Amino acid sequence: MENLFPKLPIADWIDSFVDWLTSTFAVAFDGISTILETVVEGLVSLLSFIPPYLFIILFTLLAWKLANKGIALFTFIGLLLVDNLGYWDPMLDTLALVLSAVVISIIIGVPTGIWASQKNTVKQIVVPILDFMQTMPAFVYLIPAIFFFNIGVVPGVVASVIFAMPPTIRLTILGIQQVPSDITEATEAFGSTTSQKLFKVQLPLAMPTILAGINQSIMLALSMVVIAAMVGAPGLGADVYRAVTQIQIGRGFEAGIAIVVVAIILDRITQNIGTKKQGGVTRK
């Protein structure tokens, strides 16, 4: 069927725009690449410096402190299983990638969410962008990441940040805007400044919702880090990708179990932090 109107050259526009970005900001992209590589390699070195059994004990105690005994027991058994299957080093690579992506998502996402919650104009601009980011297929983010940063660790982190950031921004906006109006009006009546109202009232009350957004960002970052193995990102995703390409069902299943263990541990710990924070705010 012939089109009534000429086809819009969207692909050509995007290619031209990417070429312009690459030539104009090449130095900036090189700097970002160097910084991200240094951060991820530093995290991997730090995590690898700790002996596996000491790491397991420390992480189990952390799960006990931040969550509960059940999660601590699962953490202990799950990490022992990962070590037993021989996926300890890939797990540390995956953990370093996820931590890097989530920290960057928080650094950018929370202030953006705060800004959008205070300025309706900013919110009207940010929300459609978030809709676009969340509906775009995850694999599409790998294309510009490769183009700007080549293959390896950096495109995996960049794609993970873009993919994982929207929940943090959305739930930061939601959490602050859901603070009861009578509370904010009372703080204004007592003469609180905008910053005092934000940091002493709105953010503490919105913290459980913000933590729920961070929890979702962690899960999305983990899923994207696995996909990023297709562009050379290390970790458990690389083992899954190799197993798929070589039709090694057993090896792929083992690597999948390791990913599930990491995902459950991170998910349950962060969920329980949010629950405890909610309980603390309620009691106050």
Side-chain angles (χ1 to χ4, degrees), residues 60-242:
T60 300
L61 293 174
L62 182 67
W64 194 342
K65 174 68 175 178
L66 298 179
N68 53 52
K69 294 180 181 179
I71 302 303
L73 180 61
F74 177 85
T75 301
F76 182 75
I77 296 174
L79 292 180
L80 281 177
L81 177 62
V82 171
D83 185 46
N84 177 264
L85 294 176
Y87 291 98
W88 187 260
D89 289 336
M91 184 206 69
L92 295 182
D93 289 333
T94 298
L95 197 58
L97 288 170
V98 171
L99 289 175
S100 301
V102 170
V103 168
I104 296 171
S105 296
I106 293 171
I107 291 173
I108 298 174
V110 172
T112 302
I114 293 172
W115 189 25
S117 70
Q118 304 299 309
K119 301 289 185 180
N120 192 51
T121 303
V122 177
K123 181 182 176 181
Q124 291 176 346
I125 296 172
V126 168
V127 170
I129 296 174
L130 297 179
D131 293 337
F132 178 84
M133 292 169 66
Q134 289 188 291
T135 52
M136 181 66 70
F139 290 95
V140 176
Y141 293 123
L142 298 177
I143 300 172
I146 296 171
F147 200 86
F148 294 137
F149 302 103
N150 211 336
I151 62 172
V153 171
V154 178
V157 174
V158 171
S160 299
V161 169
I162 298 172
F163 189 63
M165 195 188 306
T168 297
I169 300 176
R170 281 189 185 278
L171 290 180
T172 299
I173 297 172
L174 180 65
I176 292 175
Q177 292 188 335
Q178 281 186 336
V179 174
S181 58
D182 55 344
I183 295 178
T184 56
E185 289 170 1
T187 59
E188 291 171 354
F190 281 104
S192 297
T193 63
T194 302
S195 60
Q196 288 174 333
K197 179 178 68 176
L198 175 65
F199 289 105
K200 294 185 178 181
V201 177
Q202 291 177 314
L203 279 179
L205 291 174
M207 192 55 64
T209 306
I210 295 173
L211 290 173
I214 293 173
N215 171 265
Q216 291 185 24
S217 292
I218 291 173
M219 295 297 100
L220 289 175
L222 181 57
S223 65
M224 193 65 198
V225 162
V226 173
I227 296 173
M230 298 177 63
V231 296
L236 295 169
D239 290 286
V240 173
Y241 183 64
R242 280 193 295 268

Side-chain angles (χ1 to χ4, degrees), residues 215-280:
N215 171 265
Q216 291 185 24
S217 292
I218 291 173
M219 295 297 100
L220 289 175
L222 181 57
S223 65
M224 193 65 198
V225 162
V226 173
I227 296 173
M230 298 177 63
V231 296
L236 295 169
D239 290 286
V240 173
Y241 183 64
R242 280 193 295 268
V244 170
T245 55
Q246 299 172 13
I247 317 179
Q248 296 177 334
I249 299 174
R251 183 177 179 182
F253 189 76
E254 285 183 346
I257 290 175
I259 293 171
V260 170
V261 168
V262 174
I264 292 176
I265 291 172
L266 294 177
D267 179 56
R268 295 299 184 271
I269 289 177
T270 51
Q271 272 189 6
N272 279 273
I273 292 174
T275 302
K276 289 184 177 180
K277 193 72 178 177
Q278 178 71 64

